[in-house]
Amino acid sequence: MRVLIAGSSGLIGSTLTARLREAGHEVRRLVRRDAQRQDEYRWDPPAGSIAEGAFAGVDAVANFCGAPLLPGRWSAARKQVLTDSRLEPTEVLAEAVAEHDVPVLVNASAVGYYGNGGEAELDESAPPGSGFLAELCAGWEAAASPAAKAGARVVSVRTGLVLSGKGGLLTPLKPLFGLALGGRLGDGRQFMPWISSTDEAAAVQFALERDALSGPVNLCSPNPVRNAEFTKALGRALHRPAPWWVPGAALKVALGQAGEEMALYGQRAVPRALEAAGFEFTYTDLDEALAAVL
């Protein structure tokens, strides 16, 4: 396949690019600076412009654009940045997919779509939750609708917490746990739908290649764990105690809505669509996944 990737410099995009090339696919990358390599094409999402030739012969588009949700509080201005960095690129790409008759668009989303899911098991049929993240993800997925209306197979990959030694969730946690400052957040009962970076890239490749997948697809391990369990597992992996407790009220004071939704909300999400399509995970056990990435 010839795959055009937006957001190829991020954690997921860079891992996916390497994996697709290893599998023999041709990868083109959209960049927001002047193109410096043969596989690069300049684009400007706010202006709606994409370099000529970027879509020539393209079989699929993968979009993983989006400003990081943390660190910092979600002011009104920051929320606008988070929204624009996701919706604008998706809208531009979806229109281009429709215009150039590209058959497949795999577009990023997140399990934050479900809001605070509590104890309920959440497969792809679950309704959207409430809160900023839920609204953001719902808008993100809706922005891809022009491609679907044009007949493209659109897959919205609702990614969980990606475990990687090169970035993501573990980057801010490793120093704290290394100093024995790790601990559960709030009551520790909120579910954390995790996935290894290996399985994340493999699942996106699977979505690109398999016609059976369309619509929302949860990208997370079949075994989500509670925050308290995750804390103990990470402590074991780093050979450090994790005895502390961060009260939920303190997180809300320090980070406001961002602290509440990112740290205290939980989703017991399960990858029902992936499993039904025949995808096989490399890591379904949290201890094994942490040992591999660390």
Side-chain angles (χ1 to χ4, degrees):
M1 297 175 69
R2 179 176 291 165
V3 183
L4 182 64
I5 299 182
S8 62
S9 62
L11 174 62
I12 297 172
S14 60
T15 306
L16 175 64
T17 297
R19 182 180 181 90
L20 290 177
R21 285 176 171 163
E22 288 173 3
H25 298 300
E26 178 188 338
V27 176
R28 294 179 178 178
R29 301 185 303 121
L30 291 175
V31 296
R32 304 195 192 203
R33 49 169 171 75
D34 291 336
Q36 299 173 355
R37 294 173 48 179
Q38 189 174 2
D39 67 341
E40 294 181 347
Y41 292 82
R42 180 179 173 84
W43 76 318
D44 183 356
S49 65
I50 303 176
E52 185 177 355
F55 281 85
V58 167
D59 300 299
V61 173
N63 173 32
F64 287 91
C65 294
L69 295 167
L70 291 175
R73 300 172 70 91
W74 291 341
S75 64
R78 183 59 185 168
K79 285 183 177 180
Q80 193 63 54
V81 168
L82 296 174
T83 300
D84 291 345
S85 69
R86 286 163 173 77
L87 269 61
E88 279 184 350
T90 300
E91 290 167 351
V92 171
L93 288 173
E95 293 287 354
V97 163
E99 178 184 350
H100 295 278
D101 296 320
V102 178
V104 182
L105 170 62
V106 173
N107 196 67
S109 184
V111 291
Y113 174 91
Y114 303 111
N116 191 11
E119 299 294 312
E121 191 172 77
L122 304 168
D123 64 17
E124 290 82 358
S125 66
S130 60
F132 171 69
L133 280 183
E135 294 173 2
L136 176 63
C137 291
W140 203 357
E141 295 181 15
S145 60
K149 290 178 180 177
R153 178 171 64 87
V154 176
V155 184
S156 297
V157 286
R158 294 174 180 167
T159 297
L161 301 166
V162 180
L163 305 182
S164 170
K166 299 179 180 179
L169 173 69
L170 297 181
T171 296
L173 294 182
K174 283 190 293 184
L176 290 173
F177 277 71
L179 295 171
L181 295 176
R184 62 180 171 87
L185 305 177
D187 63 13
R189 293 186 54 79
Q190 66 273 34
F191 278 96
M192 298 178 65
W194 61 274
I195 185 170
S196 72
S197 57
T198 297
D199 283 325
E200 172 78 12
V204 175
Q205 179 184 345
F206 188 84
L208 287 165
E209 296 173 343
R210 301 299 176 98
D211 291 339
L213 280 178
S214 64
V217 176
N218 289 342
L219 265 57
C220 51
S221 159
N223 300 311
V225 299
R226 298 186 189 273
N227 172 258
E229 184 179 348
F230 181 89
T231 299
K232 292 178 181 177
L234 184 54
R236 287 194 299 270
L238 294 172
H239 308 291
R240 293 289 187 274
W244 303 101
W245 165 56
V246 182
L251 285 167
K252 294 177 185 179
V253 169
L255 294 173
Q257 188 178 7
E260 182 176 18
E261 294 196 22
M262 293 293 291
L264 301 178
Y265 279 15
Q267 299 87 24
R268 193 178 183 179
V270 291
R272 196 81 73 215
L274 272 180
E275 291 182 318
F279 180 77
E280 295 182 2
F281 285 84
T282 300
Y283 299 104
T284 57
D285 179 81
L286 179 58
D287 287 313
E288 292 180 0
L290 288 171
V293 301
L294 293 174

